[in-house]
Amino acid sequence: MILSPSTSMEVHWPQAEHVVQLVIGGNNVILPQRDVHSIETVMDIVSVRPNPGSVGQFTRGGEVWPVYVLSGTLRTIHTPPDDHRIVVLLKYTQLPFGILCQHIVFSHLHEMTFHPMPQVFYHPRSPLVGLVLNKGEVYCATTAEQLGISIHGEKL
Amino acid sequence: MIHQGISSKKVTAWLLPITSDITVAVGEFELVHVLPEIPTLFSIPWTPSYCHQVLVWQERIIPLMDLGIRWKMPEKKVETIGLDSSKIGLFIYRVIANNSLDYGALKLSAIPQRCEVYDEWGCSLPAEWRDYARDLHSCFKEKSSSISIPILQLNEIFSVPGYDIQTEYFDTVFPF
């Protein structure tokens, strides 16, 4: 059965949102700022792997955050690049997690234009919810939830 | 090409060279613009290998497709166009789901040629094109030519890739 699941494209981006720009594997990824729990350093990661695909975990106040490394294609990889020194802990209700990134910039969406994902880019496990145009540059837009579904979906 | 018929209907079309061997056609008003030079292209993760980049044109983000890769043409025809020698055509089409207009870009191996197509040039789709029938409106053959030229169905080409929910298999090519 071949389906064209066009309704799955209708993921909404939070309006008038403060955003964070993460540089991951050379790629710019935009997330709503409210999806970020905290920013930490790679030095605090313990090399215990609570989840398959994670490179370690971050522990605070009894909570455990598995930490993942993503490539520029937003796929999990097992070896952290040397220049990925920042850990961003994200609020994902199913399983809070962290990802490593090269840089992080706080910004506001009004400085950018959000564009829905072109239909031809649909993939059921893509973490992307749209594209953002910022001064002639194209960034990928996601949310903690979509990123979490994509990362954990890869392990299924 | 001189057509002798008096009463036959004709329409204007654009012939699009996809590779040196493959030419397809679109309607006169579907081709919006041919970019004079290759713009900055941005790669987008989790996208099909035949359409994994976008370009920015007039504040729009437009997906760029390589039909040679999409159609997995026989070896001699799969000569992926090097960006240094290719052109990029921008097209407009109507989205079936919501009747809105949208844009898509195609890699071309040369500048499109304008032509007139007569009703009686219509022909059946050659066997080599049958696998790609979903992407095509119909086909025509110029009177003095033996080459059939398929007409693109742009709204289908730029729509959501077909996905088999039973096997989780995409009928498209992903680069992973």
Side-chain angles (χ1 to χ4, degrees):
Chain A
M1 177 170 50
I2 303 294
L3 299 179
S4 292
S6 56
T7 51
S8 300
M9 300 285 292
E10 295 163 6
V11 178
H12 296 289
W13 178 260
Q15 295 296 311
E17 185 74 62
H18 289 277
V19 294
V20 289
Q21 174 189 338
L22 308 181
V23 181
I24 301 171
N27 226 335
N28 287 283
V29 179
I30 301 285
L31 284 111
Q33 196 171 312
R34 68 183 180 200
D35 284 8
V36 175
H37 178 272
S38 62
I39 312 292
E40 309 292 343
T41 166
V42 72
M43 302 295 287
D44 295 325
I45 295 178
V46 180
S47 61
V48 174
R49 300 182 179 185
N51 285 65
S54 66
V55 292
Q57 68 181 33
F58 185 89
T59 310
R60 174 177 289 172
E63 279 193 276
V64 175
W65 310 68
V67 177
Y68 297 91
V69 185
L70 301 178
S71 66
T73 59
L74 302 184
R75 296 273 177 170
T76 51
I77 53 176
H78 301 291
T79 310
D82 290 341
D83 58 353
H84 286 50
R85 309 293 296 171
I86 302 168
V87 184
V88 182
L89 299 183
L90 296 171
K91 300 173 190 168
Y92 173 46
T93 50
Q94 301 295 316
L95 178 63
F97 64 98
I99 53 173
L100 283 176
C101 65
Q102 292 166 274
H103 300 290
I104 180 166
V105 178
F106 290 83
S107 189
H108 198 281
L109 196 58
H110 73 67
E111 296 162 1
M112 310 173 183
T113 317
F114 179 79
H115 296 251
M117 206 63 175
Q119 285 200 326
V120 70
F121 287 162
Y122 172 77
H123 188 292
R125 291 206 295 271
S126 171
L128 305 185
V129 298
L131 300 171
V132 168
L133 185 56
N134 182 24
K135 297 170 186 161
E137 299 279 316
V138 177
Y139 300 160
C140 298
T142 186
T143 62
E145 183 177 357
Q146 291 299 316
L147 211 46
I149 290 169
S150 178
I151 288 172
H152 298 117
E154 279 187 71
K155 306 294 168 295
L156 296 176
Chain B
M1 175 71 51
I2 298 172
H3 181 67
Q4 306 283 328
I6 297 170
S7 61
S8 64
K9 284 185 183 174
K10 63 177 181 180
V11 294
T12 304
W14 288 100
L15 299 179
L16 313 174
I18 301 300
T19 69
S20 57
D21 291 329
I22 305 169
T23 297
V24 296
V26 295
E28 179 181 17
F29 301 109
E30 290 180 306
L31 175 61
V32 176
H33 190 63
V34 177
L35 297 176
E37 54 191 38
I38 301 301
T40 303
L41 300 175
F42 301 91
S43 293
I44 307 299
W46 289 83
T47 50
S49 60
Y50 61 76
C51 188
H52 64 99
Q53 293 175 308
V54 295
L55 57 93
V56 178
W57 181 70
Q58 294 188 352
E59 298 299 308
R60 297 174 190 276
I61 298 177
I62 300 177
L64 172 64
M65 185 177 294
D66 187 328
L67 285 175
I69 297 176
R70 178 182 172 93
W71 289 334
K72 304 170 211 165
M73 285 297 182
E75 272 181 43
K76 74 182 185 74
K77 294 182 178 178
V78 180
E79 39 182 79
T80 303
I81 309 162
L83 274 178
D84 50 341
S85 59
S86 70
K87 311 290 176 200
I88 291 178
L90 302 180
F91 301 85
I92 192 167
Y93 62 94
R94 192 167 290 282
V95 180
I96 297 171
N98 57 15
N99 213 30
S100 64
L101 294 173
D102 210 345
Y103 292 83
L106 294 176
K107 278 188 188 175
L108 308 172
S109 64
I111 296 286
Q113 299 293 315
R114 204 177 161 96
C115 75
E116 290 182 333
V117 179
Y118 294 85
D119 270 358
E120 61 266 34
W121 288 3
C123 65
S124 57
L125 207 57
E128 68 202 74
W129 285 100
R130 299 267 159 81
D131 288 347
Y132 320 114
R134 199 177 69 174
D135 291 348
L136 308 171
H137 270 301
S138 54
C139 196
F140 67 90
K141 190 185 289 185
E142 287 179 297
K143 209 168 188 178
S144 63
S145 168
S146 60
I147 300 170
S148 301
I149 298 176
I151 302 169
L152 291 182
Q153 191 156 281
L154 291 167
N155 53 14
E156 182 62 44
I157 286 170
F158 287 103
S159 68
V160 175
Y163 181 66
D164 188 331
I165 201 167
Q166 301 293 332
T167 61
E168 293 198 350
Y169 169 74
F170 260 101
D171 61 346
T172 54
V173 185
F174 282 89
F176 39 76

